Amino acid sequence: MKHTFGALLLAGLTGLASAANNTPSFADQAAVVDFARELEQRQGFNADELLAQFAQVSPNSKVLQLIKPPSSPQQRSWERYRPRFLNDRRIDGGVRFWQENQAKLARARALYGIPEEIIVAIIGVETEYGRNTGGFRVLEALATLAFNYPPRAEFFRTELEQFLLLTRENNLDPLAVKGSFAGAIGIPQFMPGSQRRYAVDFDGDQRVDLGNSVDDAIGSVGRFLEQHGWQAGQPIAVPARINGEPERSLIEAGIRPSLKVAELRDKNVFSDADPLASVALVDLVSPGQATEYWLGYENFYVITRYNRSSFYAMSVFQLGEEIRKRMQR
């Protein structure tokens, strides 16, 4: 008889959700029922309460549309990607954000070793300094990807579990939290698992609030990078000059630094980097244009832990540089 009341409540809520959306709720899916029962056993949740929440959300077709790769993918283009983030609006916004939060950014640098301009640039790239944090219900988005998107179902089920733990720990209503179509939350767009592992209460109010606290967002970005191996005071990337085309193996070596600068010189890749340094050769390709080459240090690789894209990391680096230069005027 343990689940009798919950089952009646669930049936009523499922009927209301289905009537409103004309779409079966997640509580109608056997896999979701199993998931709720597993969390009851493993994490101490009440399965009926979870299913009552799942009864109020349904698979979101927009989420599935946004997560899927395009049917006719465009070629990678640095020329097309760069202006999305390297523009006067984001640079000017970054200068204002830095000026308004100077003491907090300086404290994050002192604690974690992360330059102010990198924290500012990540927040600028992610949400334009908190302006665009996402309008999807995170519970619905994560459930859609966990149970209706097989290619990454395992990852998103883990994040869904992390999200439910996060809301329980912070006394939040899972149905009220908004974020991106992929379930990223708040000013720095942390996935729930990253928030539970790396986010910090930087304003001292005894809770982590990445949605509303700029302080917590700044501190959390700093700690995330520090925990992923940021080397304080070390460079991020330098331009490379290449005679002709580089050996394919140099690009295929990947984004993690494994190539010695001195060895690269022997392969016609030149730079102003320390000959003993370990780097990665980064190719910023644009169809119909000459490829732009850079050498990425460990700190460049660390930025890619936030988003596993060399274009992303270079945008953060270059946006940060432009913001820093304007701050120094």
Side-chain angles (χ1 to χ4, degrees), residues 15-306:
L16 288 173
S18 298
N21 301 328
N22 201 28
T23 304
S25 76
F26 280 108
D28 294 317
Q29 294 190 26
V32 177
V33 175
D34 290 342
F35 177 76
R37 302 290 182 234
E38 289 170 12
L39 291 191
E40 182 173 68
Q41 295 298 316
R42 191 168 65 250
Q43 301 288 8
F45 284 97
N46 182 296
D48 286 335
E49 290 178 1
L50 289 179
L51 289 170
Q53 292 166 349
F54 281 122
Q56 298 179 65
V57 290
S58 302
N60 188 311
S61 60
K62 184 66 172 176
V63 166
L64 293 173
Q65 178 186 338
L66 289 169
I67 199 72
K68 288 178 181 176
S71 54
S72 300
Q74 291 181 315
Q75 287 180 284
R76 292 173 69 234
S77 173
W78 175 238
E79 183 182 43
R80 188 170 59 245
Y81 185 96
R82 185 179 187 273
R84 292 165 53 190
F85 306 109
L86 270 292
N87 55 58
D88 286 337
R89 192 181 77 237
R90 285 193 201 252
I91 295 167
D92 291 342
V95 170
R96 286 193 300 273
F97 185 86
W98 192 336
Q99 290 171 337
E100 292 167 1
N101 298 284
Q102 205 149 359
K104 306 161 194 173
L105 288 160
R107 184 159 71 94
R109 180 171 191 152
L111 280 173
Y112 304 118
I114 316 299
E116 289 94 332
E117 63 268 21
I118 294 300
I119 295 177
V120 172
I122 283 179
I123 292 174
V125 169
E126 290 293 336
T127 62
E128 203 167 339
Y129 315 106
R131 288 178 57 188
N132 306 308
T133 58
F136 291 88
R137 287 202 286 183
V138 171
L139 180 66
E140 183 170 83
L142 289 175
T144 296
L145 297 170
F147 299 107
N148 290 70
Y149 188 61
R152 300 194 66 192
E154 183 177 354
F155 169 78
F156 283 109
R157 286 194 193 194
T158 298
E159 288 298 329
L160 178 57
E161 179 175 343
Q162 292 293 308
F163 173 70
L164 292 167
L165 289 167
L166 178 68
T167 55
R168 184 174 70 180
E169 290 163 356
N170 292 277
N171 196 29
L172 300 173
D173 177 2
L175 291 161
V177 180
K178 298 287 185 69
S180 77
F181 71 88
I185 300 169
I187 296 166
Q189 292 290 277
F190 272 27
M191 291 299 288
S194 288
Q195 181 165 335
R196 292 189 71 235
R197 285 190 292 274
Y198 305 114
V200 293
D201 169 22
F202 210 57
D203 59 12
D205 68 352
Q206 308 306 310
R207 68 193 188 103
V208 175
D209 182 4
L210 298 187
N212 300 292
S213 171
V214 172
D215 299 50
D216 289 359
I218 287 169
S220 297
V221 171
R223 184 167 185 267
F224 178 96
L225 297 174
E226 184 260 343
Q227 289 288 299
H228 281 82
W230 186 271
Q231 298 178 350
Q234 296 303 304
I236 297 171
V238 295
R241 306 178 299 278
I242 298 180
N243 294 333
E245 291 290 322
E247 292 182 12
R248 196 67 214 160
S249 62
L250 301 180
I251 301 297
E252 291 172 349
I255 199 69
R256 181 142 213 180
S258 62
L259 308 169
K260 292 295 185 183
V261 172
E263 296 169 357
L264 287 172
R265 288 180 182 175
D266 295 336
K267 297 178 183 295
N268 295 317
V269 179
F270 304 97
S271 69
D272 296 328
D274 178 351
L276 299 179
S278 293
V279 294
L281 182 60
V282 179
D283 61 331
L284 303 177
V285 300
S286 298
Q289 304 287 331
T291 298
E292 193 176 318
Y293 292 100
W294 288 70
L295 301 185
Y297 293 87
E298 184 68 21
N299 285 343
F300 187 85
Y301 173 76
V302 170
I303 297 172
T304 68
R305 301 307 87 195
Y306 211 102

